[in-house]
Amino acid sequence: MKPTDRRGALRAGAAAALAGALATACGTEPAPAPAGHRPAPAPLAPAPRRFPGQPDEITHGPRDRPRVALTFHGQGDPALARRLLAQAEHAGARVTVLAVGGWLDTHPGMARRILDGGHDLGNHTQRHIDINAMTEAEALAEIEACAGRLRRLTGSVGTWFRPSRARNAAPAVLRAARRAGYPHVLSYDVDSLDFTSPGAAAVVRNVTGPVRAGSVVRLHFGYPDTAAALPLLLADLDRRGLSAVTTTELLS
């Protein structure tokens, strides 16, 4: 090769290297990840928050603002769950879903569906068994198992924890929840009793009778009566001037 050709080749090679470095620096050509590296999921769900002035176990929000929180236990037929979420969104409502870890294992896409709708997503234990009957160590393991599913799917342990098969948490469960990263346990002051399949009209009555500003309402995915009742329930709340918001919004 002639000297002039060699110098030209060297200049071309240097220019190519510089262009590659600039492209990488500008982010147009990211460096390959190390073998076996799995990036953590981008956080989709906010972390649990402490609300000053609120007790360890929250049953309702402020009574002086026209808001209520509809909370759903997340398990059952995912098609019915999507129907309920769509009904809420159509009415401009946002809800809180306390998901069972085993349900998320079977239907992992539901976590993203809930968050994409602007709803709260929280922890309702891994197996949905009587958590108040457990020791503190057993309760902690049950809570952390579901928290791990939520973290894997969303980058967060979820916004809330609600004990399974109990309206109120035993002291050991309250301690376990705090150790798992949840400053508050979420209870409720209005029970729809939809899990008894009483019919849509009864579900509506069970809520609209006692509900008032600040109420936290217990409902469930997985029951057709709930899906039949929800549009009627939301319409009744709207007539009263009550907005259905997430529990985070209720307390903020």
Side-chain angles (χ1 to χ4, degrees):
M1 180 181 293
K2 294 180 181 180
T4 55
D5 294 340
R6 185 177 297 109
R7 286 194 295 272
L10 290 171
R11 284 195 296 271
L18 179 59
L22 289 172
T24 301
C26 293
T28 56
E29 188 179 338
H37 175 73
R38 301 182 70 180
L44 300 173
R49 288 173 52 188
R50 171 163 286 285
F51 290 87
Q54 292 292 337
D56 291 342
E57 183 168 76
I58 294 172
T59 59
H60 62 82
R63 298 296 192 186
D64 59 350
R65 285 180 281 179
R67 301 174 177 178
V68 298
L70 304 181
T71 67
F72 289 82
H73 294 183
Q75 60 179 344
D77 182 359
L80 197 52
R82 292 188 188 96
R83 178 181 167 191
L84 283 158
L85 292 170
Q87 288 173 338
E89 291 156 13
H90 180 74
R94 297 293 177 265
V95 304
T96 300
V97 179
L98 294 314
V100 175
W103 185 68
L104 292 175
D105 287 339
T106 306
H107 308 290
M110 286 305 305
R112 184 63 182 262
R113 170 64 186 88
I114 291 161
L115 294 173
D116 282 349
H119 310 288
D120 274 357
L121 177 61
N123 179 331
H124 194 42
T125 75
Q126 177 61 21
R127 295 174 293 165
H128 200 257
I129 56 180
D130 185 357
I131 196 167
N132 279 349
M134 299 179 182
T135 66
E136 186 172 334
E138 291 168 338
L140 178 62
E142 185 71 16
I143 297 167
E144 288 188 330
C146 183
R149 270 62 171 183
L150 288 164
R151 187 185 295 109
R152 185 185 70 240
L153 293 170
T154 72
S156 162
V157 298
T159 316
W160 297 99
F161 166 71
R162 174 173 288 169
S164 51
R165 303 202 180 268
R167 183 166 189 156
N168 301 109
V173 175
L174 286 170
R175 292 192 298 269
R178 284 195 297 271
R179 289 173 62 188
Y182 301 95
H184 304 281
V185 167
L186 181 61
S187 185
Y188 50 91
D189 64 325
V190 176
D191 193 349
S192 70
L193 299 175
D194 56 349
F195 65 95
T196 65
S197 298
V203 172
V204 173
R205 286 195 305 271
N206 291 341
V207 175
T208 58
V211 76
R212 58 193 177 113
S215 284
V216 176
V217 182
R218 182 174 78 148
L219 296 144
H220 295 77
F221 287 166
Y223 293 91
D225 287 352
T226 313
L230 187 59
L232 303 172
L233 172 56
L234 290 169
D236 186 89
L237 293 175
D238 185 62
R239 283 193 296 271
R240 299 189 195 193
L242 294 172
S243 299
V245 299
T246 66
T247 308
T248 300
E249 292 171 310
L250 183 74
L251 296 167
S252 297

